[in-house]
């Protein structure tokens, strides 16, 4: 099916299958990503509650566990191997399926064509493939939970030799093979999507939409796609070598192994550290792939709801660029205590602490945006503010972990668990929630229930802090992560009441998500119908009709005349000016240059020319000292 | 799958062609990662440096020839010489298949030298051979993908759909194929010079 | 679910008490019949409990499946105490010999059970007595096989532990609140007037939240401060702690200030009638300031970090350091001291066996191992020859089985019929042949290479490490199977233990175990090294005791540790000598085990 052009009447008849299942319309695909992401999220969270039950009440028998997991929870208590399987699949689902596909997949697909002013993605067919590879990947991953030897259980980081040797752990058998297959499908999905996103942003913006007039959300999603394109293939390579070690008996990662029950293995010449390098070369950019869209969404949502331009647009773009670039040279901070050359530790220590700077800049810019704003607490805004709070908390603990010296003490303890759950499991999820609430009217033409949204926010926010904040103390006290129980040392016992608190709060958080799920799904059919621009935002997506049409705009694609952040501009009656509103000569000059973001069109952008991005950078740096 | 240039955008670049470039970048990263792994592992020691069998040199020549013939097909298309298009594409597919054969023979030559994919009977130094097998096999997989691309283009050419007014497909095909060919040249030179470092 | 503080306290004290009591409780024997022809006395059961704790508890519990199956009723199940003892000591030998009970047991879990050839028959008997006595419970185990419950069933469900009254009340109040709000909203929708000003509600909650947030953070700190680690017990640890303190000092103010501003701004600048936001798109000076200030602060932290990093992970340990090998495996730790010659012998994974779990190099042992391996290959070949009979036997016993058992049985038959069992055995033979080749090559190179230099003959393998206060020690790490990690939080030390990649960590302990016991008011306290990298199912149960003591106590302890291979030179090929070595090794290790029971200094 080719994309329709100006004539929205379909010459081709749309069947249910072509409209809802194998759709090539980016808006439908974004909803597919969202719903699959939500379902995976529910499963992932369910798994976390299951294993937290074990941690909080290790001697208690939970019939529900036995009902759910059968022989993996004999007598209502989780089998230790299966516990690690749950932890592994939980991590995999959350990192990849919810926060990468569910976050980027949804919002890149929804917003890139709409906010850039394009009819659809560069290749709608590839886009559809991207979703179906994701779906297939999810099915394969979930199937790994049901194989006889159990799901992959070496942690989502699946280090060899453990993940390469089925005899070392049951979960490293068929379950691990399925995990690898699922990840390969996932990488294919990510690449297919990412390529489209990049191409569309660079090549298919509408007239007048220069790079510097793009909303920050698009910048973030664009750079996220670039990160993915450059880093996922390396994981693919690493994963392939692991498959060879597992399936063919090669020794890329394995050497000098004597296994109980198998004796001295033949493998020789491999390096387990090599896997860690290849894994974390993706692994680190991956976490920025997760947080950047959330940050981009937050910029958008905060600006719209504070009725103020995002403070320091240029600085925000430069920080995004800085984070994107630096994210490629910090991966070794996951490997400080692998015994690698200490010089490498030195290098990565420096680069890791540098990357804190752009993150700090973004935080301050968010605060400055709120300052003297006119804040409306929409549901999306609540989550955006929550994200900033979480980003501060989690980002600061990153400074501890990035310091190689301190990492000696904190690596693989609950301190790390606290850190990444606060930045990813809270901040990034909050970004996703903010995006969902904010763009729900665009996706479904209706509004979600506001009070339920507030309830969802406060319950989630409070329970997130209750769950993850105490973990810092546990980590500082030297409690290791990925432990099935706290029985190894007497001194771990003092944290049992904390475990109870954490699990209880997690259950509360789970209940909050049920409220969200009810709100999300019921509003699709019963929510209040939305107007075209319910939040009174300036960006292009709010100029499309509420009822979706292929090609997005019924007539011509609107031309853009200004940046995305003319909120509460002095001298205007309305507190927002759409990007499509032509300039009427009353614009304030904020920069001395002609092509600054907030300056009006001095001349129309000639047809067929894009403003070269790097020329703009030069102008910014040259003239910024205005 | 006709490529539409989205005339409504302000850019002149064909987005689908751009996609091929992006795909190429992704593939670069895949092989960059694997060749970096090769270097990192080599630096650890216990590593046998060996010369690539001469068969791989023939592969390199063949793949370069295939690029020439494919470029000829593109030029013919731009000049509306449909016969040249078909000829060029057929030649390229022929060279591509020949490449597969020479790669296979090259692997055979390595096996004859006692360099296997699985080298567990050695002391671990032959993992260098495992790397060469793995990387070149992965590359061949991408060649096979390219052959499929070539076949699709050839079918279109034989349907007289590749001509001056419709060069998008063959341009994309060229972009991908030259890249994969150049990638092999890089890999060959890499394996050739790496032992010297 | 809301847990009352008192209940939590009681629960944790109970657990703490349970853990403590299991390590100090004297055991009362309730058994009447002898086990393995020996009387199950209180003393035997107590010995059994200690041996169980240090050898079996990593993977087994008595009344439930942990990594390995539940152990209660094991004697009744097999009805052959000699078999059980053999299995415990060397299950691999039984499996490769094809003993059907062993083969079946080997299928229970993917990872195999460790070998305990270091335990004598008597020691294993004590363990069995402890198990039969019900382990930590006071009641003897029921005679029937299977997991038996203690006489009084413990209320295992959560039902009784939660104060359901409070839970139900809270839920009710919550539901009522939601309903009230729902009704108000309904009325709002109908009348068109917004009754609840949600903006103000949320703004108010924002500012309230931040104060409660800060209060809770400070409260938690006040409660948990005591559980944080005390001053470091190592020299570099002091520096690490200082770095930690500086980082806290940099981040805590930022935390409080930015969080406060976030919520305060949200409250203060909430929308009100007639309010307009201030159009302020950028201010480059501000950007420079809040780019530079964090950059400067982080640079200071970086420089500090670099300095201490360099000091801590120096690649050249001091000349007077003591080298101890710490060996990690699924699932436990062993350590090796260098013996009189002060030099650790070489080791290789190909030399690992039941009698030499660390694979230390010794020429005559290596030659003996070759013989063992050849024998093992022969046994496996015999088994391959007899596979047809094994399969036939399985088929003959199929009739009469139903349900799950039948399915399992059929699967087993399938694995024979499809050739899977044969392939496995042939792969094993191939692996053994490779191993033999490698050992042979190392023996051939013995003259020129360093491997059999004999330094390892006087090495001492121990189950806990002792360090001398104030003296630097270099832990040299080696892993047997997968990546483990050695974590010693009190010493601020951590290092991955990777198969094929030796790693090390050097530090100087500054506080003895006795000092720490006084500090913690706990005469039973000990330093421990725990595993800190997911390594399999029993990852959470791998620890190594670390004792820091005065030089004199250390010397005394070290002198009692047996050497691996008594002879200093690599010659002396007599068989009796090798046997003598093994017996002596076993004897000294027995001494080690019983010494654990005595109060540690």
């Amino acid at each position: 099916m080719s994309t329709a052009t100006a004539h929205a009447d379909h010459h081709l008849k749309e069947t249910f299958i072509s409209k809802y299942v194998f759709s090539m319309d980016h808006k439908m695909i974004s909803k597919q990503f969202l719903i699959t992401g939500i379902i995976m999220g529910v499963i992932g969270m369910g798994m976390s509650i299951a294993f937290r039950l074990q941690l909080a009440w290790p001697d208690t028998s939970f019939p529900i566990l036995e009902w759910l997991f059968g022989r993996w929870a004999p007598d209502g208590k989780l089998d230790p191997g299966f516990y690690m399987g749950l932890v592994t699949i939980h991590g995999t689902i959350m990192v990849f399926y919810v926060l990468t596909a569910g976050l980027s997949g949804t919002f890149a697909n929804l917003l890139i064509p709409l906010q850039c002013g394009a009819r659809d993605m560069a290749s709608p067919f590839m886009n559809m493939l991207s979703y179906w590879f994701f779906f297939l990947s999810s099915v394969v991953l979930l199937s790994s939970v049901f194989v006889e030897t159990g799901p992959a259980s070496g942690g989502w980081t699946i280090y060899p030799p453990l993940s390469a040797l089925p005899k070392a752990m049951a979960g490293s058998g068929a379950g691990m093979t399925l995990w690898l297959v699922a990840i390969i499908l996932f990488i294919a999905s990510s690449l297919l999507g990412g390529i489209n996103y990049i191409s569309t942003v660079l090549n298919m913006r509408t007239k007048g939409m220069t790079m510097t007039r793009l909303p920050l959300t698009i910048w973030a999603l664009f750079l996220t796609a670039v990160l993915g394109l450059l880093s996922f293939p390396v994981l693919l390579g690493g994963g392939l070598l692991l498959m060879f070690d597992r399936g063919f008996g090669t020794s890329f990662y394995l050497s000098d192994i004597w296994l109980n029950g198998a004796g001295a293995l033949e493998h020789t010449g491999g390096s387990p550290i090599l896997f860690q390098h290849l894994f974390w070369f993706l692994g680190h950019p991956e976490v920025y792939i997760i947080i950047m869209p959330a940050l981009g969404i937050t910029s958008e949502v905060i600006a719209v709801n504070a009725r103020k331009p995002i403070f320091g647009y240029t600085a925000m773009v430069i920080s995004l660029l800085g984070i994107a670039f630096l994210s490629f040279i910090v991966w070794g901070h996951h490997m400080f205590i692998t015994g690698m050359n200490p010089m490498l530790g030195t290098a990565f220590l420096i680069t890791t602490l540098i990357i804190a700077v752009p993150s700090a800049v973004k935080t301050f810019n968010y605060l400055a945006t709120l300052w003297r704003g006119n804040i409306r607490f929409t549901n999306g805004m609540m989550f955006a503010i929550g994200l900033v709070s979480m980003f501060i908390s989690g980002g600061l603990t990153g400074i501890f972990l990035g310091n190689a010296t301190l990492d000696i003490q904190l690596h693989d303890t609950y301190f790390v668990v606290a850190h990444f759950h606060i930045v990813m499991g809270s901040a990034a999820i909050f970004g996703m929630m903010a995006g969902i609430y904010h763009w729900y009217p665009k996706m479904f033409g209706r509004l979600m229930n506001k009070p339920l949204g507030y309830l969802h926010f406060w319950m989630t926010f409070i329970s997130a802090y209750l769950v993850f904040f105490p973990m810092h103390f546990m980590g500082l006290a030297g409690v290791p992560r990925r432990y099935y129980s706290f029985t190894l040392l007497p001194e771990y016992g003092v944290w049992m009441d904390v475990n109870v608190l954490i699990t209880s709060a997690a259950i509360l958080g789970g209940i909050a998500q049920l409220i969200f799920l009810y709100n999300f799904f019921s509003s699709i059919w019963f929510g209040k119908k939305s107007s075209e621009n319910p939040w009174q935002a300036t960006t292009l997506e709010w100029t499309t009709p509420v009822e979706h049409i292929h090609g997005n705009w019924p007539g011509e694609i609107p031309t853009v005349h200004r940046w995305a952040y003319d909120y509460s501009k002095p001298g205007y009656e309305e507190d927002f000016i759409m990007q499509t509103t032509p300039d009427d000569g009353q614009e304030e000059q904020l920069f001395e240059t002609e092509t600054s973001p907030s300056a009006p069109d001095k001349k129309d952008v000639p047809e067929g020319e894009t403003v070269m991005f790097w020329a703009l950078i030069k102008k910014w740096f040259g003239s910024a000292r205005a | 799958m006709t490529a539409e240039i989205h005339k409504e955008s302000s850019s002149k670049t064909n987005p689908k062609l751009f996609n091929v470039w992006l795909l190429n970048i992704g593939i670069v990263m895949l092989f960059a990662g694997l060749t970096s792994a090769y270097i990192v592992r080599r630096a650890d020691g216990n590593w046998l440096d060996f010369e690539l069998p001469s068969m791989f040199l023939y592969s390199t020549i063949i793949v370069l020839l295939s690029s020439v013939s494919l470029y000829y097909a593109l030029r013919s298309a731009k000049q509306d010489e449909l016969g040249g298009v078909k000829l060029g594409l057929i030649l390229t597919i022929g060279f591509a298949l020949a490449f597969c054969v020479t790669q296979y023979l090259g692997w055979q030559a390595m096996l004859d030298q006692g360099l296997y994919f699985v080298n567990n009977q050695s002391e671990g130094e032959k993992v260098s051979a495992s790397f060469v097998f793995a990387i070149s096999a992965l590359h061949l997989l991408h060649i096979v993908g390219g052959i499929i691309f070539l076949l699709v283009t050839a079918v279109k050419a034989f349907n007289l759909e590749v001509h001056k007014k419709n060069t998008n497909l063959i341009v994309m095909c060229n972009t991908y194929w030259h890249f994969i060919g150049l990638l092999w040249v890089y890999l060959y030179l890499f394996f050739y010079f790496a032992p010297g470092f | 679910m809301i847990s009352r503080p008192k209940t939590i306290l009681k629960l944790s004290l109970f657990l703490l008490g349970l853990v403590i009591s299991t390590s100090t409780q004297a055991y009362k024997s309730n058994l009447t019949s002898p086990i393995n022809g020996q009387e199950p006395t209180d003393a035997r059961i107590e010995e059994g409990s200690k041996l169980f704790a240090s050898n079996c508890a990593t993977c087994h519990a008595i009344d439930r499946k942990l990594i390995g199956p539940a152990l209660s009723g094991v004697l009744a199940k097999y009805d052959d105490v000699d078999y059980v003892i053999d299995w415990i000591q060397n299950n691999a030998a039984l499996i490769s010999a094809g003993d059907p009970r062993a083969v079946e047991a080997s299928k229970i879990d993917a990872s195999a059970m460790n070998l305990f050839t270091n335990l004598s028959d008597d020691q294993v008997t004590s363990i069995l007595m402890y198990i039969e006595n019900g382990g930590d419970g006071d009641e003897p185990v029921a005679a029937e096989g299977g997991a038996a419950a203690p006489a009084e069933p413990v209320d295992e469900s959560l039902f009784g532990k939660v104060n359901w009254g409070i839970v139900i009340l809270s839920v009710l109040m919550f539901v009522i609140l939601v309903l009230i709000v729902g009704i108000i909203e309904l009325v709002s929708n109908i009348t068109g007037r917004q009754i609840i000003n949600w903006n103000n509600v949320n703004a108010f909650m924002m500012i309230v939240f931040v104060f409660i947030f800060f209060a809770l953070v400070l409260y938690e700190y006040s409660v948990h401060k005591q559980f944080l680690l005390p001053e470091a017990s190592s020299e570099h640890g002091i520096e690490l702690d200082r770095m930690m303190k500086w980082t806290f000092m940099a981040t805590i103010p930022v935390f409080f200030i930015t969080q406060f501003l976030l919520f305060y701004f949200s409250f203060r600048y909430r929308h009100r009638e007639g309010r307009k936001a201030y159009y302020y798109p950028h201010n480059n000076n501000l950007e420079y300031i809040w780019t530079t200030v964090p950059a400067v602060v982080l640079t200071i932290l970086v420089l500090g970090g670099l300095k201490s990093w360099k000091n801590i992970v120096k690649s050249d340990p001091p000349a007077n350091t003591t080298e101890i090998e710490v060996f990690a495996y699924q699932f436990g730790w062993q350590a090796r001291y260098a013996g009189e010659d002060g030099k650790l012998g070489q080791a290789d994974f190909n030399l690992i066996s039941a009698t030499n779990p660390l694979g230390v190099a010794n020429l005559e042992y290596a030659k003996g191992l070759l013989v063992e391996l050849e024998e093992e290959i022969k046994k496996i070949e015999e088994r391959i020859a007899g596979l047809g009979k094994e399969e036939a036997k399985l088929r003959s016993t199929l009739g009469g089985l139903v349900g799950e058992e039948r399915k399992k049985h059929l699967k087993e038959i399938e694995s024979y019929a499809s050739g899977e069992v044969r392939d496995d055995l042939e792969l094993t033979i191939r692996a053994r042949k490779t191993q033999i080749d490698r050992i042979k090559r190392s023996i051939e190179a013995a003259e020129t290479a360093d491997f059999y230099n004999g330094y390892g003959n006087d090495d001492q393998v121990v189950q806990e490490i002792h360090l001398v206060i104030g003296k630097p020690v270099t832990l040299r790490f080696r892993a047997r199977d997968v990546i483990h990690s050695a974590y010693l939080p009190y010493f601020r030390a951590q290092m991955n233990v990777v198969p094929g990649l030796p790693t090390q960590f050097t530090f100087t302990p500054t506080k003895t175990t006795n000092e720490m016991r006084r500090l913690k008011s706990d005469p039973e306290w000990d330093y421990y090294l725990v595993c800190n990298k997911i390594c399999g199912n029993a990852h959470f149960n791998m620890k190594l005791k670390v004792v820091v003591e005065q030089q004199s106590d250390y010397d005394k302890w070290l002198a009692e540790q047996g050497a691996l291979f008594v002879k200093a030179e690599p010659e002396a090929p007599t068989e009796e000598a090798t046997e003598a070595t093994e017996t002596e090794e076993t004897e000294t290790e027995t001494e080690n085990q019983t010494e654990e029971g005595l109060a540690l200094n």
Side-chain angles (χ1 to χ4, degrees), chain B residues 119-124, chain C residues 430 434 437-438 441 501:
Chain B
N119 288 297
N120 287 329
Q121 269 51 44
S122 72
E123 282 310 299
Chain C
R430 200 187 73 186
T434 310
D437 263 339
R438 289 176 173 156
R441 264 182 278 160
L501 176 70

Side-chain angles (χ1 to χ4, degrees), chain A residues 201-408:
Chain A
V201 169
L202 288 178
N203 297 310
M204 292 173 61
R205 285 165 284 125
T206 185
K207 288 195 268 295
M209 181 61 88
T210 63
M211 289 297 285
T212 55
R213 285 181 178 163
L214 282 173
L216 280 171
T217 317
I218 302 298
W219 272 107
L221 290 166
F222 167 69
L223 289 171
T224 301
V226 171
L227 279 191
L229 180 66
L230 298 177
S231 55
F232 270 113
V234 178
L235 175 65
L236 182 61
L240 281 172
L241 295 185
L242 182 60
M243 284 183 118
F244 293 151
D245 275 3
R246 288 170 52 81
F248 296 108
T250 51
S251 305
F252 291 109
Y253 304 129
L254 305 173
S255 190
D256 289 39
I257 296 172
W258 193 98
L259 261 192
N260 237 349
L265 299 186
E266 297 177 289
H267 298 278
T268 179
S271 166
I273 308 296
L274 180 62
F275 177 82
Q276 294 186 33
H277 280 297
L278 292 172
F279 180 87
W280 286 113
F281 189 83
L282 161 84
H284 194 82
E286 169 65 20
V287 308
Y288 288 101
I289 289 173
I290 288 176
I291 196 67
M292 284 203 324
L295 292 174
I297 291 173
T298 301
S299 302
E300 195 67 19
V301 173
I302 286 188
V304 173
N305 291 301
R307 313 309 286 162
K308 259 187 83 185
I310 191 74
F311 188 82
Y313 175 87
T314 309
M316 290 297 241
V317 172
I318 295 180
S319 342
L320 279 174
L321 286 167
I323 291 175
F325 168 71
L326 287 168
S327 74
F328 281 104
I329 51 175
V330 299
W331 82 88
H333 66 230
H334 300 272
M335 297 168 58
F336 279 139
I337 48 138
T338 54
M340 66 179 182
N341 188 335
M343 297 258 287
L344 284 178
T346 306
F348 286 118
L349 194 170
I350 297 174
T351 53
T352 305
L353 288 183
I354 294 179
I355 206 174
V357 176
S359 313
V361 168
K362 291 190 90 66
T363 310
F364 297 133
N365 278 299
Y366 289 136
L367 292 178
T369 310
L370 289 173
W371 177 73
R372 291 187 68 176
N374 185 11
I375 300 174
R376 291 184 317 201
F377 291 108
T378 60
N379 298 137
M381 183 58 159
M382 304 294 287
F383 277 99
I385 294 175
L387 178 146
V388 180
S389 174
M390 290 294 181
F391 192 61
I392 293 172
S393 307
L396 288 174
T397 53
I399 293 176
F400 287 79
L401 295 168
N403 193 332
T405 305
L406 298 181
D407 195 54
I408 295 176

Side-chain angles (χ1 to χ4, degrees), chain A residues 60-61 77 79 148 258 260 266 312 365 373-375 377 389 393 408-409 412 483-484 497 566 624, chain C residues 8 64-65 114 156 199 202 259 269 271 275 279 281 284 287 411 430 434 480 487 494 496 531-532:
Chain A
T60 305
S61 168
K77 296 178 194 148
D79 171 87
E148 187 178 336
W258 193 98
N260 237 349
E266 297 177 289
N365 278 299
N374 185 11
I375 300 174
F377 291 108
S389 174
S393 307
I408 295 176
Q409 180 61 14
D412 258 7
Y483 265 27
Y484 168 75
D497 60 339
D566 271 341
Chain C
I8 300 165
R64 59 174 283 209
K65 175 181 187 293
N114 270 320
E156 291 194 316
N199 227 49
N202 283 304
Q259 295 278 12
Y269 300 112
H271 167 74
R275 184 179 168 72
Y279 186 82
N284 290 335
E287 303 285 354
K411 263 233 211 85
R430 200 187 73 186
T434 310
R480 188 183 75 182
Y487 184 41
Q494 185 172 185
N496 279 4
C531 182
N532 204 14

Side-chain angles (χ1 to χ4, degrees), chain A residues 95-209:
Chain A
V95 168
F96 290 119
Y97 293 79
V98 178
L99 289 172
T100 307
L103 181 48
S104 305
T106 303
F107 293 107
N109 268 304
L110 179 70
L111 297 174
I112 288 180
L114 287 176
Q115 285 191 338
C116 290
R119 296 279 181 201
D120 205 307
M121 288 287 187
S123 170
F125 179 68
M126 258 172 84
N127 213 21
M128 180 194 73
L129 280 185
S130 159
Y131 170 71
W132 284 103
F133 271 100
F134 169 56
F135 180 81
L136 197 63
S137 173
S138 310
V139 169
V140 172
L141 184 77
L142 290 177
S143 75
S144 81
V145 181
F146 298 102
V147 296
E148 187 178 336
T149 42
S153 4
W156 81 282
T157 47
I158 44 130
Y159 286 174
L162 184 62
S163 62
L165 302 169
K167 290 211 172 107
M169 185 173 63
S172 292
M176 184 62 203
T177 306
L178 287 171
W179 191 100
L180 282 167
V181 172
I183 276 299
I184 291 181
L185 290 169
F186 183 86
I187 294 175
S189 159
S190 278
L191 290 175
L192 286 168
I195 288 176
N196 248 341
Y197 308 155
I198 297 172
S199 187
T200 310
V201 169
L202 288 178
N203 297 310
M204 292 173 61
R205 285 165 284 125
T206 185
K207 288 195 268 295
M209 181 61 88

